[in-house]
Amino acid sequence: AFWCLMMSVTPTRGCLLDLPWEDVLVPHILCHLPLEQLLILQRVSKSFQSLIQLYLANMRCFDSDQIRPAIPRAAFVNLLKDNEVLQQLALQSCSSWLTDQELLPVIGQNHHLYQIQLKGCTQLSRRALVAISLSCPNLRQLSLAHCEWVDSLSLRSLADHCKALEAVDLTACRQLKDEAICYLVQKCSRLKSLSLAVNANVGDVAVEETAKCCPELEHLDLTGCLRVKNDSIRVLAEYCPKLRSLKVKHCHNVAESSLSVLRSRGVELDVEPPLQRALVLLQDAVGFAPFINLQI
């Protein structure tokens, strides 16, 4: 109903556009409309176009997923060219075309960013991460999942300049080895969430250093880290009292002997206890569901 009201108002009839733009329309009305609809609204008239441009220049959060179909390269550049107050930037749906050329100007003029989502943006380079580290000192959340261009040098730059980081997703950043992860956690001891999943180069050294340097750690994803063994899981249990969830699926060298301590503390694990798992498999194979007590 509100959208119909917006579309029905014209400049000649007054009302909406007569309200103060910066004090009322931008912060209290336009912020409740999806970005995709705002882009449609600017076609109504030149006055609406100016209003939406003002809104875009003062936008605190930009999520490319809000625009369907996927936002074109030229539109992205135009939308954010005047914005210097962004705090949250999510560009995962731009992964097919986003390069340093489009991203670096946005990062360079927005120094208040605290959350950046670049999952799957494979066409960027290490320059993007260096730019983020230099321009965003207050960064708290960063997703670089499946960005194989992330290397130890660019991660070092991030660690040196963004010490307030609380959540980092390095899933499938396959260039990274234990040494790079150790440097990150030593510099960013406030980490609460870290994903090192799908990285065969990550082992016990990185996990143990993470445990010792990050006492606030709550979530750790080690899915598919084949070099992780029981010893580092025991260190994790000893040094991370606030741990709430741990993912170790496909970590074939991690056994129940090390997970049991965490399980007894109520830590959420993505693997079932051996007996539970065996009974479930038996139930599926033989159909003994009515006769098996899975709480044994």
Side-chain angles (χ1 to χ4, degrees):
F2 182 69
W3 171 243
C4 292
L5 173 63
M6 294 282 285
M7 292 299 291
S8 65
V9 175
T10 65
T12 56
R13 292 172 58 186
C15 296
L16 184 65
L17 291 175
D18 289 339
L19 294 172
W21 287 16
E22 294 189 19
D23 296 330
V24 177
L25 291 182
V26 170
H28 299 296
I29 296 181
L30 297 186
C31 63
H32 296 291
L33 289 177
L35 184 56
E36 183 177 4
Q37 293 185 352
L38 288 174
L39 299 182
I40 296 174
L41 181 62
Q42 69 177 342
R43 303 173 189 170
V44 173
S45 68
K46 290 184 177 180
S47 295
F48 271 111
Q49 183 180 21
S50 298
L51 172 62
I52 301 306
Q53 287 176 345
L54 176 65
Y55 172 81
L56 293 173
N58 289 276
M59 188 167 48
R60 299 294 198 274
C61 175
F62 181 84
D63 186 346
S64 59
D65 279 345
Q66 293 184 6
I67 304 175
R68 294 292 182 218
I71 181 173
R73 185 194 312 254
F76 169 79
V77 173
N78 186 59
L79 287 177
L80 297 180
K81 62 182 176 63
D82 298 322
N83 192 304
E84 298 180 359
V85 295
L86 275 177
Q87 296 178 358
Q88 298 171 272
L89 181 64
L91 301 175
Q92 58 270 23
S93 63
C94 301
S95 58
S96 62
W97 54 261
L98 186 69
T99 68
D100 294 350
Q101 182 177 353
E102 293 81 32
L103 180 63
L104 265 56
V106 176
I107 297 298
Q109 66 192 31
N110 283 281
H111 304 293
H112 303 289
L113 281 163
Y114 68 82
Q115 181 177 335
I116 299 177
Q117 166 67 264
L118 297 175
K119 179 180 179 181
C121 293
T122 58
Q123 298 189 50
L124 297 173
S125 76
R126 67 164 64 166
R127 291 179 57 211
L129 189 52
V130 172
I132 289 171
S133 65
L134 296 177
S135 296
C136 309
N138 299 316
L139 191 65
R140 297 201 299 271
Q141 300 177 31
L142 176 63
S143 175
L144 299 168
H146 302 281
C147 294
E148 296 194 22
W149 46 266
V150 177
D151 59 10
S152 59
L153 290 177
S154 56
L155 194 68
R156 276 176 170 264
S157 178
L158 180 73
D160 285 335
H161 296 94
C162 300
K163 294 182 174 64
L165 279 168
E166 295 180 357
V168 180
D169 188 347
L170 298 172
T171 299
C173 293
R174 295 186 176 90
Q175 289 196 59
L176 300 178
K177 299 181 180 180
D178 283 347
E179 182 182 4
I181 303 303
C182 290
Y183 193 88
L184 174 69
V185 298
Q186 289 165 3
K187 296 287 186 176
C188 303
S189 57
R190 301 182 191 177
L191 281 175
K192 296 181 179 180
S193 177
L194 177 64
S195 176
L196 304 173
V198 199
N199 192 333
N201 293 317
V202 170
D204 285 342
V205 173
V207 176
E208 290 180 14
E209 193 67 14
T210 299
K212 294 175 181 178
C213 293
C214 303
E216 302 296 315
L217 193 67
E218 298 179 3
H219 307 283
L220 180 61
D221 190 347
L222 300 173
T223 304
C225 294
L226 303 179
R227 295 176 57 232
V228 173
K229 302 181 180 67
N230 286 321
D231 288 346
S232 61
I233 301 302
R234 294 190 182 98
V235 173
L236 194 67
E238 179 180 356
Y239 284 89
C240 296
K242 297 183 179 181
L243 194 67
R244 294 167 52 192
S245 70
L246 173 65
K247 295 183 178 181
V248 289
K249 189 172 288 186
H250 306 304
C251 295
H252 303 305
N253 294 312
V254 175
E256 184 63 23
S257 59
S258 62
L259 294 175
S260 58
V261 176
L262 293 171
R263 201 184 298 279
S264 66
R265 280 173 23 193
V267 175
E268 180 183 344
L269 303 173
D270 63 343
V271 292
E272 297 173 325
L275 178 58
Q276 180 91 358
R277 187 161 58 249
L279 291 175
V280 170
L281 291 174
L282 181 62
Q283 172 182 316
D284 291 342
V286 188
F288 282 170
F291 308 104
I292 295 178
N293 181 0
L294 294 182
Q295 303 302 317
I296 294 176

